[in-house]
Each structure stands twice: as C-alpha cells, then as structure tokens.
Amino acid sequence: MFLIVAKIFWTVAQPLAASLLLIVLGLLLAIRFRKSGVIVAVLGVLVLAVSSFTTTGALLIRPLEERFERPAWPEHVGAIILLGGATNGPISAARQISEFNLAGDRFAETLRLAQLYPEAKIVISGGMAVLMDGGEPEAETAQRFFLGMGIPQDRQVLENQARNTEENAEFSKSLLAGIEGPKLLVTSAFHMPRSMGLFRKAGIEVLSWPTDYRSSGLEGFGVDVTNPVDNLMTTTTAIREWVGLAVYDWTGKIDEIFPGP
C-alpha cells in the first residue's frame, strides 16, 4: 500500500502536474470567485516558470549530490551493487535491448568498475515499477547489457523483485551475505543519501560510489531559458528526493532525515 500511495501522490504532486492542477483550479474558481481564481492560476504559472526557467532545480539537487563522495580506490572489491531506476522496461522488453533513461550513467560506471575489479560480483537489484504494465524486471535488462559487454553470467547476481530503494536494500541483503571484501554501492549522486540510509538500516555496510550528476556544483540562482525541459526534470527529481527523505525519516525507514558520511 505504501508503494501505491507514494506513486499516486507523486503523480499529482510533481511540479508539472501541480502547476497544471493549480491553473485548472484557478480557472474554475474564477467563474464565481474571480480574485481567488486568478491568484491560484498565477501561482500555478509561477510554479511552472520557476521550475523550468530558473536554476532552482540545480540548487535543490546540489546538496544531495555533494553529500557523499567516492572513496579512495579500494585495492580489492567484493561486490559492485547496481541499483535499479536507469532503464526503460517496456521498450527494453519489447525490443529485447537495454534502453537507458537519464540515469544510464549507473550502468556505464558499473561496467567500468567491473572491468577494473574483475574478481568482483555484480549485484543487480531492480524489479518492475509498481504501476507499470508490461516491461520486464530491470535486473533482466541489466543482465542482457552486461552479457553483451562481456561480463560473464557467473559474475552477475540478480535480484529482480525490488520495486523501490527500500526493497533494493532489503532483498539484496541475503545475496551479499557470503561475499567478502568491500562492497561499492552505485547509484545516482542525488539518490545516494537515501540509499545509504536504507542500506545502513538494513545492516549492510557499503561504500558510496555516486554517479549521474545533474548539477555542476557551480550554479548560482538565476534565470535559464536555454534548457527549460532539463531544468524542469532536475527540479522534479530534487523535490522528489527531498520528499522521499522526509517521508522515509517520518516512517522510520531511515534513522536520520539527511544521511551523511
């Protein structure tokens, strides 16, 4: 139930949907309450404008991305853990390929680590999205990719049931139990604080290995009219992650609202 509620809530709470809902609500209110309706509609326009045409998203996501850094290169690695959320399941399944989304850097970095540490197991955790029809578990998409890139099947450990980050940690624990040596956790930099908090809660000791950065870390607040779609997506991602941290802390799924090193 938590998973379904979270998905439905975010469908209407993300900036684009929220702005459109406010605009529609404002227009309806304006039929009888002109002033109130105009205020609500203008608020909707402002939400969309700030999310799309300013650097707000980069400023919101920067603290998340800078919370964890990569450690010094370990001499030995026992496992490289790749978290799901980087592929398009329906397209991958239909075309029998590995189709990536914006988080595809997770795969590129995992492949690089797999080549640098040929003795390490590749633990791939990713099932199917809760509300997604069709497609395939992300672990299967990942297996197809790594096999195609020359990573043998006996190095790959698949966990294909997890539907969110909490389940990534929970379902991977038994798979990691018999693996000796440091374990690198590969996920998007903005996603690392919540991921580390959940893996710690599950009693799994991992080293953070962030990738897929969405900000340079140099942005100041300002107008940016050149990349409105990218700005909107960055703002949406940052807000979702901050909300996720707050909810996971409130429900006791992590031990602190902003896990750190």
Side-chain angles (χ1 to χ4, degrees):
M1 180 60 69
F2 177 86
L3 292 169
I4 295 175
V5 170
K7 294 288 184 181
I8 294 174
F9 168 78
W10 186 246
T11 298
V12 298
Q14 59 184 302
L16 180 59
S19 64
L20 292 177
L21 288 173
L22 286 170
I23 291 170
V24 171
L25 178 60
L27 293 175
L28 293 175
L29 281 173
I31 296 174
R32 295 193 60 183
F33 308 99
R34 181 177 177 81
K35 185 175 180 180
S36 297
V38 169
I39 292 173
V40 172
V42 169
L43 179 60
V45 173
L46 286 175
V47 169
L48 184 59
V50 170
S51 299
S52 303
F53 295 101
T54 73
T55 58
T56 297
L59 297 179
L60 287 174
I61 210 167
R62 183 196 297 175
L64 295 164
E65 293 187 330
E66 294 182 348
R67 189 64 166 169
F68 284 89
E69 296 181 353
R70 294 180 183 179
W73 289 95
E75 292 185 8
H76 167 72
V77 170
I80 303 162
I81 307 164
L82 169 62
L83 298 190
T87 68
N88 186 305
I91 293 177
S92 296
R95 297 187 179 275
Q96 286 298 288
I97 59 175
S98 299
E99 187 63 35
F100 302 132
N101 58 30
L102 284 178
D105 285 2
R106 300 184 193 184
F107 275 74
E109 191 61 27
T110 299
L111 177 61
R112 185 170 78 103
L113 290 169
Q115 294 169 338
L116 290 171
Y117 297 102
E119 76 287 354
K121 293 289 187 180
I122 315 301
V123 179
I124 306 164
S125 177
M128 294 175 62
V130 179
L131 303 181
M132 180 175 65
D133 294 324
E136 64 184 8
E138 187 158 8
E140 295 179 12
T141 307
Q143 183 182 47
R144 184 185 302 121
F145 170 78
F146 288 116
L147 286 173
M149 299 303 292
I151 305 299
Q153 189 166 346
D154 61 5
R155 288 188 64 193
Q156 301 182 45
V157 181
L158 304 186
E159 184 289 293
N160 61 7
Q161 299 299 312
R163 297 165 295 175
N164 62 11
T165 314
E166 180 186 15
E167 292 184 350
N168 285 143
E170 178 185 350
F171 297 163
S172 296
K173 186 172 183 178
S174 61
L175 302 178
L176 294 164
I179 300 177
E180 300 294 332
K183 301 169 181 62
L184 304 182
L185 180 62
V186 180
T187 190
S188 301
F190 64 81
H191 186 233
M192 190 60 76
R194 186 155 54 103
S195 300
M196 290 294 290
L198 287 165
F199 271 75
R200 288 171 179 170
K201 188 74 172 181
I204 306 172
E205 185 177 347
V206 292
L207 297 176
S208 62
W209 202 271
T211 189
D212 178 36
Y213 290 84
R214 307 295 174 89
S215 72
S216 69
L218 303 175
E219 296 89 353
F221 181 76
V223 174
D224 180 8
V225 299
T226 58
N227 298 294
V229 174
D230 289 347
N231 293 336
L232 177 61
M233 294 180 69
T234 300
T235 304
T236 301
T237 299
I239 293 175
R240 182 180 66 228
E241 203 59 35
W242 283 114
V243 170
L245 283 167
V247 171
Y248 274 45
D249 177 65
W250 176 57
T251 55
K253 297 179 184 300
I254 55 178
D255 290 329
E256 51 185 331
I257 193 169
F258 193 28

